[in-house]
């Protein structure tokens, strides 16, 4: 019997049966978990905000099988604001998909949980979201054991230099939107090469330029 309380951030949502949904959530202290939200597709379901990508909540989770059940979840952030702007949604989706692909165990990943919260708190339509996602992807790569030092420049002119700028500067407004887009695609290709997996969300990066 699994039974623990933890903070969760929703990385992936999928349909399950007629009225239910499954969410992949990264917890602060228990790694990646799959949570079943029963009846959440019904019109007046109280759990609807918890079935939204990038929502953050505190809950007790219990279960005996593959799926855990939330007990009296408390919503911290609903995630809806990250889904209203297509660039922001794409940036967050790339980060979330990569996180799910990078975590293959049930071990705690508290630093990564905190890092993802930093990302979503910095993702705003006027903040150059692709740059923010590139910063996160660099941190994810380092967390996964694939650290690489990129060339730093105060005024980057290439995707590699932009990644070096992101490594040193961290979350803030990137100096060039198009260069940030190219840098995010570059670090995603590095991720795909190391993890031997494709990131479907990357295909949307060029759609909302």
């Amino acid at each position: 019997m699994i039974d623990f309380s933890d903070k969760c951030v929703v990385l992936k949502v999928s349909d399950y049966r007629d009225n239910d949904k499954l969410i992949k959530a990264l917890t602060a202290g228990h790694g990646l978990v799959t949570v079943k939200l029963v009846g959440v597709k019904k019109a007046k379901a109280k759990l609807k905000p918890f079935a939204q990508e990038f929502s953050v909540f505190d809950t007790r989770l219990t279960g005996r099988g593959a799926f855990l059940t939330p007990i009296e979840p408390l919503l911290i952030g609903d995630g809806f604001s990250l889904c209203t702007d297509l660039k922001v949604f794409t940036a967050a989706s790339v980060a979330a998909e990569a996180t799910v692909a990078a975590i293959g165990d049930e071990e705690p990943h508290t630093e990564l949980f905190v890092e993802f919260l930093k990302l979503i708190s910095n993702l705003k339509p006027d903040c150059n979201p692709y740059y923010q996602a590139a910063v996160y992807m660099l941190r994810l790569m380092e967390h996964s054991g694939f650290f690489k030092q990129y060339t730093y420049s105060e005024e980057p002119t290439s995707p590699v230099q932009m990644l070096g700028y992101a490594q040193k500067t961290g979350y803030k407004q990137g100096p060039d939107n198009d260069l940030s887009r190219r840098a995010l695609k570059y670090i995603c290709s590095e991720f795909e090469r190391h993890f031997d997996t494709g990131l479907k969300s990357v295909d949307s990066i060029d759609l909302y330029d």
Side-chain angles (χ1 to χ4, degrees), residues 86-87 90 130 181 201-209:
L86 293 174
K87 273 189 176 182
T90 297
Y130 294 159
R181 175 184 61 81
S201 301
V202 174
D203 295 337
S204 299
I205 292 175
D206 291 330
L207 296 180
Y208 312 115
D209 209 21

Side-chain angles (χ1 to χ4, degrees), residues 89-107:
F89 178 75
T90 297
S93 296
V94 167
E97 186 182 356
T99 302
V100 172
I103 299 177
D105 54 50
E106 297 178 355
E107 295 298 318

Side-chain angles (χ1 to χ4, degrees), residues 74-86:
L74 176 64
L75 193 66
I76 299 173
D78 61 22
F80 285 108
S81 62
L82 276 72
C83 301
T84 57
D85 181 272
L86 293 174

Side-chain angles (χ1 to χ4, degrees), residues 161-178:
Q161 289 182 352
M162 178 63 92
L163 292 175
Y165 180 92
Q167 279 181 323
K168 184 171 182 178
T169 309
Y171 299 105
K172 60 172 286 184
Q173 178 68 28
D176 185 285
N177 286 328
D178 181 64

Side-chain angles (χ1 to χ4, degrees), residues 28-129:
H30 295 82
L32 195 65
V33 297
T34 303
V35 180
K36 182 168 70 173
L37 301 178
V38 177
V40 75
K41 293 183 186 178
K42 295 180 180 178
K44 297 182 178 181
K46 294 182 179 180
L47 292 177
K48 278 189 180 298
F50 302 92
Q52 175 65 57
E53 288 92 343
F54 322 123
S55 290
V56 182
F57 59 94
D58 202 348
T59 190
R60 177 184 168 198
L61 293 169
T62 67
R64 293 184 181 276
F67 308 144
L68 301 181
T69 300
I71 307 296
E72 298 182 353
L74 176 64
L75 193 66
I76 299 173
D78 61 22
F80 285 108
S81 62
L82 276 72
C83 301
T84 57
D85 181 272
L86 293 174
K87 273 189 176 182
V88 170
F89 178 75
T90 297
S93 296
V94 167
E97 186 182 356
T99 302
V100 172
I103 299 177
D105 54 50
E106 297 178 355
E107 295 298 318
H109 294 277
T110 304
E111 291 182 4
L112 194 56
F113 176 85
V114 172
E115 198 66 42
F116 197 89
L117 293 187
K118 287 181 183 178
L119 169 66
I120 61 178
S121 69
N122 280 280
L123 280 176
K124 299 177 179 63
D126 60 348
C127 73
N128 191 348

